[in-house]
Amino acid sequence: MPAQVTFEPPSYTEEKFALYSRYQQEIHHEAWERQPSGFKRFLVHSPLAREAIEYPSGRPDHLPAEYGTYHQLYRLDGKLVAFGVIDVLPRCVLSVYFMWEKEWEKFSLGKLSVLREAALVREMHEAGVMGMKYLYMGEYFAHPLFRERTKSILAILVTGFYVHSCRKMLYKGDYAPSYLVDPEDYSWAPLETCRPLLDKYHYACFSHPERSLDTPATSPDPTPEIPLEVLQNVRHVIQTATERGEVVAPVADWVVWQPQHARGTVLSMIDALGEKVAQEVLFDLSSL
């Protein structure tokens, strides 16, 4: 059986979960994922509503019928060797996550998936979905000048945030030609000219290198102080999918036992939401 790439709505299967667990352990060297709940929360459950895609001359069979989240499966001789999670949106395809079997690592399946997803954008555009022209990888920069300056280009790969000191993000520089947006005037600079500045400075300005800084311009914001009575009324989920629903507990009990960076993250979230709103929502702190 030849290689196959297929679409399907997001779902849990033991085959997908096993691949995800091996990927986390063998590629990222993280703890073995033993419970399907984390997989479902991360890669199956989606807030996107399904909505029909209008193709002026009819939908080609290989293109999605609806906007929403999909699993894109890569099989070889019937075996699942990789799969990606993508969001098909009115103006773009968003590449959410991709994983593969370690035995196929040398074939750079991640790059293959980018080519396949970029082809999907182009095929949908050529089938009449005229607004479809972007492939985003991860979170992305969406300043209005970006779309204005790229409106004449048919298909654009936007790799999202680039953190030069993060090893997991360096692969984004493998795609050429690559450009980084300037943090001050939003012009584009070739990655090759940006790297020396990023190696040298804490803050790098590509259009005006003389404005680059060796150290942060300001000190980090102090951790906000939240009254104990508020923390006792802010709740977080400690167990899901029980017969009685979700089990919750006061954030006050959680904060006491956590390291400083985790406490600071939660207190900053509460401060940003405001005490009233924070007491009306449930926090999921499982990833901290």
Side-chain angles (χ1 to χ4, degrees), residues 10-282:
S11 64
Y12 169 83
T13 67
E14 292 186 359
E15 182 183 38
K16 294 178 186 177
F17 179 60
L19 172 56
Y20 171 71
S21 297
R22 288 192 295 271
Y23 177 79
Q24 292 297 101
Q25 185 180 49
E26 297 173 0
I27 303 299
H28 288 306
H29 307 292
E30 296 178 356
W32 183 271
E33 183 71 56
R34 299 183 181 278
Q35 299 299 325
S37 57
F39 172 88
K40 293 177 182 178
R41 182 174 60 250
F42 181 35
L43 299 175
V44 177
H45 298 158
S46 171
L48 299 182
R50 314 295 288 193
E51 181 179 332
I53 301 174
E54 294 186 9
Y55 293 91
S57 300
R59 178 181 66 89
D61 291 340
H62 67 289
L63 296 182
E66 298 177 316
Y67 294 115
T69 300
Y70 290 88
H71 284 178
Q72 194 167 36
L73 309 182
Y74 296 73
R75 295 185 181 276
L76 186 62
D77 295 330
K79 179 184 177 182
L80 183 67
V81 297
F83 90 85
V85 182
I86 63 173
D87 291 338
V88 179
L89 305 173
R91 290 182 177 272
C92 71
V93 170
L94 174 61
S95 182
V96 178
Y97 203 74
F98 186 77
M99 68 203 76
W100 62 88
E101 290 283 11
K102 185 174 177 59
E103 65 179 293
W104 298 97
E105 185 174 17
K106 65 180 180 180
F107 294 101
S108 299
L109 296 185
K111 292 182 174 63
L112 175 64
S113 75
V114 171
L115 296 175
R116 178 57 247 164
E117 291 161 6
L120 172 62
V121 171
R122 190 180 190 97
E123 290 164 4
M124 291 183 67
H125 182 91
E126 292 175 345
V129 187
M130 302 308 295
M132 178 65 70
K133 58 186 296 187
Y134 301 99
L135 169 61
Y136 290 115
M137 297 172 62
E139 298 181 77
Y140 60 91
F141 173 80
H143 191 278
L145 282 177
F146 170 75
R147 288 201 174 97
E148 175 64 24
R149 293 177 178 178
T150 59
K151 64 182 180 181
S152 63
I153 305 175
L154 173 58
I156 304 160
L157 168 62
V158 184
T159 57
F161 294 129
Y162 177 80
V163 179
H164 192 58
S165 58
C166 178
R167 182 180 60 83
K168 291 183 179 180
M169 286 198 178
L170 295 181
Y171 77 92
K172 295 182 178 183
D174 293 341
Y175 301 97
S178 290
Y179 299 85
L180 295 181
V181 69
D182 185 84
E184 296 190 9
D185 69 3
Y186 307 117
S187 60
W188 295 96
L191 180 60
E192 293 77 14
T193 65
C194 298
R195 279 177 171 147
L197 294 171
L198 293 169
D199 287 335
K200 183 177 181 180
Y201 294 109
H202 182 92
Y203 168 80
C205 179
F206 313 131
S207 58
H208 298 280
E210 69 278 5
R211 299 179 185 173
S212 300
L213 301 173
D214 292 321
T215 57
T218 59
S219 300
D221 293 333
T223 300
E225 295 185 5
I226 307 296
L228 179 59
E229 57 268 24
V230 173
L231 294 179
Q232 289 174 336
N233 290 321
V234 175
R235 299 166 298 163
H236 73 104
V237 178
I238 60 175
Q239 187 176 359
T240 60
T242 67
E243 293 182 358
R244 297 183 179 180
E246 295 172 321
V247 179
V248 301
V251 166
D253 297 339
W254 182 90
V255 168
V256 172
W257 302 104
Q258 299 304 313
Q260 179 61 38
H261 75 276
R263 291 201 303 271
T265 298
V266 173
L267 295 177
S268 295
M269 284 194 295
I270 295 172
D271 184 62
L273 287 172
E275 296 177 2
K276 181 179 179 180
V277 174
Q279 294 177 68
E280 296 176 355
V281 300
L282 289 178

